[in-house]
Amino acid sequence: MKHDNSSVLKLYPAESEMQLSDDGVAAQSQLSDLIADGITAIRRSFAYVALISIAALTLSLFLASNATPKYEALGRVVIDQSLGGNEGTARSNNFFGETMMIDSEVESLLSRDLLTAVATRLGEQGADEQYVITETSTLEERGEAIDALIEGLSVERVESTFVIDVRFEAETPELAATVVNLLMEEFR
């Protein structure tokens, strides 16, 4: 097998091992050889790097052009603070009670019962079958519709407030808004 010696990396001794002439010519020569070898290696691999970069860019553009657009609707639920304890209780003394109350409301918004009601109303409005439950839906179809709603749904407390953000992401802005609005109506 034949080897191309031009691609072999040259090893140079450490500075302390170099024999320098009075004018430092040996060190300069080795440094220039090292730089020249580095430039040659970069030139050889440039074609590969360019080819990989072009392929990655082409793939990215293809995927971006074929991606399904997503739309998000946002609704906010404001929790009545008076439900969280005695009016005279200081906020710092009732922090855990308030946190539990807000967490309970978040879980209620994500409950399968509430989402079943939303999916049923979506069916009445003729929405996308993926999210719809009808009287004739099988147990499996009901589960799939609820799972599809849960997948697009995000329910989170806004920092340390009494506000909960309800977001739904869908392929159309109308569906996203309808789901959020129905969820808010059914939650009341």
Side-chain angles (χ1 to χ4, degrees), residues 81-163:
Q81 295 177 27
S82 66
L83 300 175
N86 300 333
E87 290 181 28
T89 306
R91 181 165 171 77
S92 60
N93 293 340
N94 198 17
F95 174 75
F96 293 110
E98 291 172 356
T99 300
M100 287 177 49
M101 179 184 62
I102 300 294
D103 289 346
S104 296
E105 298 297 335
V106 168
E107 290 304 315
S108 295
L109 283 161
L110 291 169
S111 73
R112 294 187 84 76
D113 290 340
L114 184 63
L115 294 175
T116 298
V118 170
T120 302
R121 290 197 49 201
L122 283 170
E124 294 167 0
Q125 295 183 6
D128 184 358
E129 287 182 20
Q130 175 183 7
Y131 305 104
V132 169
I133 292 177
T134 63
E135 291 179 11
T136 60
S137 296
T138 65
L139 191 56
E140 183 180 338
E141 291 170 336
R142 288 173 179 265
E144 289 172 358
I146 300 302
D147 290 344
L149 285 171
I150 289 172
E151 186 178 320
L153 188 61
S154 168
V155 179
E156 298 174 344
R157 181 179 186 180
V158 178
E159 297 178 11
S160 296
T161 66
F162 284 87
V163 177

Side-chain angles (χ1 to χ4, degrees), residues 7-44:
S7 66
V8 174
L9 181 63
K10 296 179 184 177
L11 299 175
Y12 298 99
E15 263 185 57
S16 61
E17 298 173 3
M18 280 194 247
Q19 301 263 335
L20 295 178
S21 62
D22 291 336
D23 58 3
V25 174
Q28 251 183 344
S29 173
Q30 287 180 351
L31 181 61
S32 63
D33 286 347
L34 183 62
I35 291 172
D37 289 346
I39 291 172
T40 302
I42 290 171
R43 284 183 183 161
R44 283 191 191 125

Side-chain angles (χ1 to χ4, degrees), residues 3 24 39 41 51 53 55 58 61 85 113 117 124 127 148 171 187:
H3 292 287
I39 291 172
L51 182 63
S53 297
T58 303
L61 290 173
D113 290 340
E124 294 167 0
E171 293 179 7
F187 182 67

